[in-house]
Amino acid sequence: MNATTDSIRILLCDDHRIVREGLKQILADTPDIEVAAECASGPEVMHKARVEAIDLVLLDIAIPQQDGLDVLRQIKQEMPRLPVLMLSTYPEKQYAARCYKLGAAGYLNKSADTEQLVAAIRKAAGGGVYVSPQMAETLASELSARSSSHERSPHESLSHREYQVFQLIAAGRSVKEIADQLELSPNTVSTYRGRILEKTGASNDVGIAMYAVRHQLMPV
């Protein structure tokens, strides 16, 4: 690692070892960026963020044991000055706005090129917020639409957990499968499902899936 004394020290979290190794290899040729620590699950992120001397967290959304957005929320509560750059396979349209609202310093799709990744890390570590050109255009369009209509889409009123359940229902998962994946009780999932039906105006799970398709919110 060609790290310098002024390098940006990163905590890298992704549950796929091959992804972590790939990112480390990409960043190894960038003198001012150093992968100082790595982990593969939500609880590990919190532990290492507390004990390691790091300048930024590079965090995947889909990590085991604790959802990446929950980890983001917890980091911003405990360490509000620590920048968190989200990295995901999910399209920006699905999750980026939620990440920014929770305090993320940026959102990158894993298909981003090396220059974009390095630029995002430097921007976030410097105290700024990285927004890709594509996301900037999307956010501008949404703000323009809201200012003219003064209304939000129904799914924007879903809480983070409701949105998770919404996505899994749209993907065809059963209440039990959702409960197992999110480590919730089936009754709790059913409660969230009821709120989703009420907020989106859907009458059943098929209606939820159709709503997701119509608004381009289908999980990938």
Side-chain angles (χ1 to χ4, degrees):
M1 182 81 63
N2 298 321
T4 70
T5 55
D6 296 323
S7 61
I8 300 166
R9 292 173 56 84
I10 292 176
L11 168 58
L12 170 61
C13 182
D14 193 292
D15 60 327
H16 295 98
R17 183 180 181 85
I18 191 169
V19 173
R20 298 199 307 273
E21 292 300 323
L23 287 169
K24 286 193 294 183
Q25 185 174 353
I26 288 171
L27 296 172
D29 295 327
T30 308
D32 62 329
I33 298 175
E34 173 190 0
V35 177
E38 60 182 284
C39 54
S41 70
E44 284 184 286
V45 178
M46 295 310 304
H47 171 69
K48 294 200 173 185
R50 293 178 185 122
V51 302
E52 298 282 352
I54 56 171
D55 303 304
L56 180 142
V57 179
L58 188 57
L59 177 63
D60 187 16
I61 288 182
I63 51 176
Q65 299 183 48
Q66 189 177 4
D67 178 81
L69 294 191
D70 287 334
V71 174
L72 169 61
R73 181 186 290 108
Q74 190 173 352
I75 289 175
K76 300 317 291 184
Q77 288 174 346
E78 293 187 24
M79 295 160 272
R81 297 178 65 86
L82 178 63
V84 181
L85 184 60
M86 305 302 291
L87 190 66
S88 178
T89 56
Y90 299 122
E92 288 181 309
K93 184 176 179 63
Q94 289 187 17
Y95 276 98
R98 289 177 176 270
C99 290
Y100 289 122
K101 288 177 183 176
L102 289 173
Y107 185 100
L108 275 179
N109 192 279
K110 288 183 180 179
S111 64
D113 58 33
T114 300
E115 291 75 15
Q116 195 173 13
L117 173 63
V118 170
I121 290 172
R122 288 173 176 161
K123 178 86 170 181
V129 175
Y130 179 82
V131 180
S132 72
Q134 298 89 342
M135 191 60 201
E137 186 175 336
T138 299
L139 291 174
S141 297
E142 290 182 358
L143 286 172
S144 176
R146 287 178 193 172
S147 62
S148 59
S149 67
H150 303 290
E151 294 181 0
R152 297 196 305 168
S153 297
H155 63 269
E156 294 184 74
S157 66
L158 297 177
S159 69
H160 167 53
R161 188 62 87 181
E162 288 168 355
Y163 190 74
Q164 285 182 304
V165 173
F166 166 82
Q167 288 251 295
L168 291 170
I169 291 174
R173 303 289 181 82
S174 68
V175 167
K176 183 181 185 306
E177 289 172 331
I178 296 171
D180 290 342
Q181 180 169 336
L182 299 182
E183 298 182 349
L184 300 170
S185 72
N187 285 341
T188 299
V189 173
S190 294
T191 297
Y192 284 130
R193 177 181 176 275
R195 293 176 186 170
I196 293 164
L197 291 172
E198 181 180 351
K199 291 181 178 181
T200 62
S203 57
N204 51 36
D205 290 357
V206 173
I208 290 174
M210 291 177 65
Y211 180 99
V213 170
R214 189 164 62 251
H215 290 83
Q216 300 179 13
L217 300 171
M218 286 298 291
V220 176

